[in-house]
């Protein structure tokens, strides 16, 4: 039987929390290191606007990670969401996306221990505990080992929670439709969740409830600021990215998913497996999570067209996020509808500051 997939539910409008979207294809958050670093990590250059405008066929765009404070930055030239100049910088991007009929949420991000003073304006990296990640940072001075972070005090934790809240308020001011809290890939929220990085003995460490406290305080602060219907979170329960480990992912992420469900947030965006790698890692039951969480389940990690059609058709996911395919295929929705060939992303230009590999991938109309 041949099916005209242009009518497939993957391409039909739906609602993600309070956000009406034109289809169930999501552009995953993608660090591209093209903000104006010298000016203060400000987005909104003509090429930044063009990059997002080209990809505004996705029902929902999740922005590249955008740090909520200078010490929350872990890579060169990533944009922030804490200064007024950054808010102004984002405005033409969100306007261009809306003009093209898409929606966009800001991924609000704190890297915690995954950084180096070369990237934070000299500030010492912080984390739940003084556990050094076995990772190197890429700086303008080359590759350097990441140092042991300083353990955050309870007072400082309160301040960081407030930075996420302000980031969310700024995102709305900048014209975003909502936010995605970056709870994945071994950054600060994930560092609190997992026992490999969190060795605290106070209210933020030890038990499942204590390790989930920071994540839930961030969620609650952001929800109080902008409303649950505009808040999502990205989780990667089994990824080993950025030297993160946990002895029992099902226990901590199972509890977290149930608590998120109680709060009625718009979506959970799951990285199923090792981020950018194997999907079949043990340790967490994603099918269980799909049932336990009544909001929108956005699936991610190595999805092909066939997998995405199948996931939405079977109900395994409400929407599917594509990362690398969106780097190389600005018109991805059209290509998925028509089942055409796909451009192949070039990893050499993922983080190279310029227009090459950023706004020069051809669309079908140009490729013909
Ligand atoms: C790749 C390069 C830099 C950052 C993540 C924000 O892993 C990232 C990231 C990925 O979530």
């Amino acid at each position: 039987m041949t099916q005209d997939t242009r009518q497939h539910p993957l391409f039909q409008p739906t609602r993600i929390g309070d956000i009406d979207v034109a289809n169930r294809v999501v552009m995953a958050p993608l660090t591209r290191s093209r903000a104006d670093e010298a000016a203060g990590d400000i987005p909104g250059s003509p090429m930044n606007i063009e990059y997002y405008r080209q990809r505004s066929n996705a029902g929902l765009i999740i922005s590249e990670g955008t740090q909520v404070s200078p010490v929350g930055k872990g890579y060169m030239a990533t944009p922030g969401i804490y200064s007024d100049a950054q808010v102004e910088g984002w405005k033409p991007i969100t306007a261009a996306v809306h003009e093209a009929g898409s929606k966009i949420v800001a991924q609000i991000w704190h890297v915690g221990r995954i950084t180096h003073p070369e990237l934070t304006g000299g500030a010492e990296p912080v984390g739940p505990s003084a556990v050094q990640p076995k990772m190197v940072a890429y700086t303008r001075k080359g590759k350097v080992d990441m140092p042991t972070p300083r353990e955050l005090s309870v007072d400082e934790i309160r301040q960081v929670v407030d930075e996420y809240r302000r980031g969310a308020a700024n995102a709305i001011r900048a014209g975003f439709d909502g936010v995605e809290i970056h709870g994945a890939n071994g950054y600060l929220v994930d560092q609190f969740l997992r026992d490999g990085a969190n060795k605290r003995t106070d209210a933020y460490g030890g038990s499942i409830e204590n390790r989930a406290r920071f994540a839930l305080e961030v969620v609650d602060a952001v929800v109080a600021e902008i409303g649950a219907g505009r808040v999502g979170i990205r989780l990667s329960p089994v990824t080993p990215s950025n030297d993160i480990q946990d002895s029992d992912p099902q226990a901590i992420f199972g509890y977290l998913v149930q608590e998120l469900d109680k709060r009625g947030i718009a979506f959970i965006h799951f990285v199923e497996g090792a981020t950018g790698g194997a999907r079949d890692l043990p340790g967490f039951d994603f099918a269980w999570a799909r049932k336990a969480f009544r909001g929108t389940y956005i699936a991610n990690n190595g999805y092909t067209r066939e997998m995405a059609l199948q996931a939405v058709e079977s109900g395994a996911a409400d929407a599917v996020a594509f990362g690398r395919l969106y780097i190389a295929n600005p018109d991805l929705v059209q290509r998925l509808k028509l089942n055409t060939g796909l451009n192949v992303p070039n990893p050499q230009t993922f983080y190279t500051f310029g227009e090459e590999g950023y706004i020069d991938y051809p669309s079908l109309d140009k490729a013909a």
Side-chain angles (χ1 to χ4, degrees):
M1 189 191 76
T2 57
Q3 186 195 21
D4 183 349
T5 54
R6 282 174 295 183
Q7 301 305 320
H8 190 280
L10 183 62
F11 306 118
Q12 302 312 309
T14 186
R15 214 171 153 76
I16 299 178
D18 291 347
I19 308 170
D20 286 306
V21 296
N23 59 60
R24 296 168 186 265
V25 176
V26 174
M27 178 177 162
L30 295 160
T31 288
R32 303 304 310 274
S33 290
R34 267 110 168 152
D36 187 340
E37 185 161 71
D41 299 327
I42 297 174
S45 69
M47 73 168 171
N48 297 153
I49 299 168
E50 176 63 8
Y51 168 77
Y52 281 104
R53 191 197 59 72
Q54 287 176 349
R55 288 159 180 76
S56 295
N57 45 80
L60 180 67
I61 294 174
I62 302 170
S63 83
E64 65 204 280
T66 180
Q67 60 268 8
V68 297
S69 68
V71 73
K73 177 184 177 186
Y75 303 86
M76 287 182 276
T78 57
I81 192 78
Y82 54 87
S83 76
D84 287 341
Q86 291 160 353
V87 170
E88 291 307 309
W90 280 113
K91 283 182 181 173
I93 295 175
T94 59
V97 168
H98 290 149
E99 172 75 26
S102 184
K103 299 291 166 71
I104 182 167
V105 296
Q107 194 196 50
I108 56 175
W109 185 30
H110 192 305
V111 296
R113 67 177 184 160
I114 301 300
T115 190
H116 185 279
E118 276 297 322
L119 296 163
T120 60
E124 196 180 9
V126 295
S129 302
V131 180
Q132 185 178 19
K134 292 183 196 65
M135 296 289 296
V136 292
Y138 293 84
T139 77
R140 297 205 187 259
K141 294 187 177 158
K143 275 201 293 191
V144 286
D145 286 341
M146 292 182 188
T148 303
R150 186 172 59 73
E151 177 180 313
L152 288 164
S153 69
V154 170
D155 254 12
E156 288 175 316
I157 290 175
R158 290 203 187 98
Q159 288 167 32
V160 177
V161 170
D162 201 57
E163 288 167 357
Y164 282 94
R165 181 196 60 73
R166 281 193 32 216
N170 285 342
I172 297 300
R173 277 209 293 145
F176 285 99
D177 298 287
V179 303
E180 174 179 276
I181 296 161
H182 194 341
N185 296 344
Y187 300 109
L188 186 61
V189 170
D190 210 15
Q191 289 159 33
F192 271 92
L193 291 169
R194 300 214 232 179
D195 56 19
N198 184 345
K199 307 291 184 189
R200 299 179 74 99
T201 55
D202 63 6
Y204 291 92
S207 67
I208 297 291
E209 290 79 1
N210 282 357
R211 279 187 282 134
R213 191 175 310 283
F214 177 70
L216 291 169
E217 285 183 357
V218 170
V219 170
D220 288 341
V222 168
V223 164
E225 187 69 34
I226 70 170
R230 299 194 175 275
V231 176
I233 189 168
R234 194 175 203 216
L235 301 176
S236 55
V238 295
T239 203
S241 293
N242 290 313
D243 195 24
I244 198 79
Q245 299 99 26
D246 189 74
S247 57
D248 188 355
Q250 187 67 46
I252 181 71
F253 287 94
Y255 172 76
L256 181 61
V257 166
Q258 287 173 320
E259 288 298 312
L260 293 170
D261 179 68
K262 286 184 198 164
R263 285 157 172 82
I265 63 170
F267 67 88
I268 306 179
H269 177 188
F270 282 102
V271 181
E272 299 166 339
T275 311
R279 289 180 47 80
D280 58 350
L281 300 189
F284 186 75
D285 185 346
F286 291 95
W288 169 85
R290 200 279 181 272
K291 293 198 199 87
F293 179 68
R294 286 166 289 178
T296 296
Y297 182 111
I298 303 177
N300 172 246
N301 204 29
Y303 274 78
T304 62
R305 175 179 184 276
E306 283 310 312
M307 287 163 67
L309 292 170
Q310 167 63 24
V312 168
E313 203 168 302
S314 69
D318 295 303
V320 178
F322 297 90
R324 282 165 298 182
L325 285 183
Y326 249 120
I327 290 179
N329 297 276
D331 56 344
L332 185 62
V333 169
Q334 286 83 333
R335 288 174 187 257
L336 295 176
K337 276 186 190 166
L338 299 174
N339 198 15
T340 63
L342 295 168
N343 302 320
V344 178
N346 174 12
Q348 305 292 325
T349 53
F350 281 0
Y351 313 112
T352 43
F353 313 119
E355 294 186 0
E356 190 194 350
Y358 189 54
I359 55 171
D360 58 356
Y361 284 103
S363 293
L364 287 174
D365 48 357
K366 290 179 199 141

